[in-house]
Amino acid sequence: MKNKIIAEKSGVIDVVIIGAGAAGLSAALFLVRARRSTIIFDAGSKRISSSKNIHELLGFENKSPEEFHNLGEKEIVKYGGDIRKEKVLKIEAISNNLFAVQSTNSFVTAKTVVIATGLIDVIPEIPGLKEGWGKDIHVCPCFTGYELHNKKVVVFGLQDRIGQLSKFLTAWTNNVTVVTNQPFAPTWIKKLSAVDVQVINSEVASVIRSNGKLKGVITSDGQKISCDAIFVSTSMQASSNLASTLCKVDEFGFAETDAVGQTSRPGLWVIGNANDPIGHLAHAIASGTKVGPMVTDYLLEYSLADLIK
Ligand SMILES: Cc1cc2nc3c(=O)[nH]c(=O)nc-3n(C[C@H](O)[C@H](O)[C@H](O)COP(=O)(O)OP(=O)(O)OC[C@H]3O[C@@H](n4cnc5c(N)ncnc54)[C@H](O)[C@@H]3O)c2cc1C
């Protein structure tokens, strides 16, 4: 690789980025252009991979997630970034504020670590649901609402979010049915009724498909509701527990950070969906762009500390 930035003679890398999704690649682009030695580890599967097309990302409308990520990787490699298709298994804080990073094939010592490992949508165990994930089963109308204009949509999932999700969907379609066996607060009953959302008091037991095509859902009390698409409000959890051994995380494994992803541990940042579960691709890209200068400045201060002792 002709442009590869060589690690310092000590063998210590400036920065290890874990995750080559939108967030990790964006951080990497800044850092390789800041001429910092950078290794990016990636385990492969990305959150958006189940979708055919990207929406709501300027310049990439309707392009495939694969094309977006491949293009990003090429840009990083061009400036000397070292992308390794390896899963990181462990990060340890060692002496001199350094980090020992162990992946499936490498052992690297780094001055800084950026965790950009994304999140897991916890898909409910309902027959027929997983097959359509990212195709006819959706999480957010911001990405697919336009394509579902006035289509028949069923909503279910976490009670504290399905009122908002159902109301929001009416910006795109006038045919929204929410299925829940839990009561809505009186304000939500009024709001949903005002925007013509139909409420069915039951729970979704299975998804009906014919030749792979979504036909509707069956409720636990046997009602059949036909639909063209389903929106599920799922719970989410951090996709790796790497941060949990190094800094404070919440009950779902998401790190506690400041606005730019700085954790309670110097030299460690967490960005993208790994600390902003509702972030889109554009937000993930922005998180990488924000963290790049912070890491660069930290690295300069790290070297200065020795020089001005
Ligand atoms: C079905 C669906 C459709 C979506 N459609 C859109 C859309 O059209 N437009 C939009 O803006 N947003 C969309 N999103 C949201 C989008 O997926 C996220 O905003 C985006 O993926 C966040 O990027 P990220 O870099 O934080 O995480 P990811 O893209 O998930 O990247 C995380 C990376 O970390 C890697 N990783 C995890 N653990 C390890 C480990 N231990 N070692 C090494 N690597 C690891 C993973 O393999 C992955 O490559 C969609 C989400 C879903 C669920």
Side-chain angles (χ1 to χ4, degrees), residues 7-305:
E8 288 172 18
K9 283 200 187 81
S10 62
V12 177
I13 296 292
D14 285 331
V15 52
V16 160
I17 297 173
I18 307 164
L25 288 175
S26 164
L29 183 60
F30 187 96
L31 288 158
V32 291
R33 283 181 50 79
R35 299 182 175 273
R36 302 303 100 185
S37 53
T38 306
I39 296 178
I40 304 106
F41 288 104
D42 192 58
S45 163
K46 285 149 184 81
R47 188 174 174 220
I48 196 178
S49 297
S50 58
S51 283
K52 216 169 136 205
N53 303 105
I54 287 175
H55 299 291
E56 290 303 322
L57 182 65
L58 197 62
F60 281 90
E61 187 55 32
N62 264 318
K63 300 258 166 59
S64 74
E66 202 186 5
E67 184 179 352
F68 167 77
H69 290 106
N70 286 344
L71 209 57
E73 287 194 9
K74 274 191 197 144
E75 288 171 353
I76 309 306
V77 170
K78 186 178 139 201
Y79 288 109
D82 178 354
I83 302 179
R84 301 185 186 182
K85 304 289 179 187
E86 299 168 24
K87 182 175 181 174
V88 170
L89 306 172
K90 198 172 160 192
I91 313 170
E92 254 182 288
I94 55 173
S95 55
N96 296 327
N97 286 329
L98 295 173
F99 297 90
V101 180
Q102 187 190 343
S103 72
T104 40
N105 275 317
S106 314
F107 189 87
V108 173
T109 305
K111 291 177 191 162
T112 61
V113 170
V114 177
I115 296 178
T117 45
L119 64 76
I120 293 170
D121 298 284
V122 184
I123 306 174
E125 289 295 332
I126 293 175
L129 202 60
K130 277 191 183 136
E131 293 91 304
W133 194 252
K135 296 170 185 73
D136 45 34
I137 314 283
H138 308 276
V139 284
C140 178
C142 298
F143 312 137
T144 43
Y146 184 91
E147 284 66 31
L148 294 170
H149 182 57
N150 286 345
K151 298 277 185 196
K152 195 160 187 202
V153 165
V154 163
V155 179
F156 66 93
L158 298 177
Q159 183 66 16
D160 58 346
R161 300 207 326 240
I162 51 175
Q164 167 62 23
L165 178 57
S166 304
K167 179 200 72 182
F168 198 48
L169 266 162
T170 63
W172 290 274
T173 175
N174 55 13
N175 207 331
V176 180
T177 301
V178 57
V179 183
T180 175
N181 57 7
Q182 291 173 55
F184 279 113
T187 0
W188 273 112
I189 294 173
K190 280 189 201 155
K191 279 189 189 177
L192 294 177
S193 159
V195 289
D196 286 333
V197 169
Q198 194 192 355
V199 180
I200 303 232
N201 296 313
S202 188
E203 61 183 328
V204 172
S206 64
V207 172
I208 319 162
R209 294 187 176 278
S210 169
N211 296 324
K213 196 173 178 325
L214 176 67
K215 292 291 173 191
V217 297
I218 297 189
T219 63
S220 52
D221 57 351
Q223 299 181 63
K224 184 179 164 189
I225 309 164
S226 65
C227 64
D228 304 300
I230 294 173
F231 280 78
V232 191
S233 165
T234 63
S235 59
M236 295 176 272
Q237 62 188 46
S239 79
S240 83
N241 62 0
L242 294 170
S244 65
T245 57
L246 298 165
C247 65
K248 288 182 197 151
V249 298
D250 70 13
E251 59 184 308
F252 303 104
F254 293 107
E256 289 178 18
T257 71
D258 70 6
V260 285
Q262 171 70 66
T263 66
S264 50
R265 181 178 292 278
L268 179 72
W269 288 263
V270 182
I271 60 167
N273 272 177
N275 87 341
D276 170 22
I278 60 167
H280 302 179
L281 287 166
H283 302 116
I285 292 170
S287 73
T289 309
K290 279 188 202 161
V291 87
M294 299 299 142
V295 176
T296 306
D297 195 53
Y298 175 92
L299 288 165
L300 291 173
E301 290 287 342
Y302 188 97
S303 312
L304 271 176

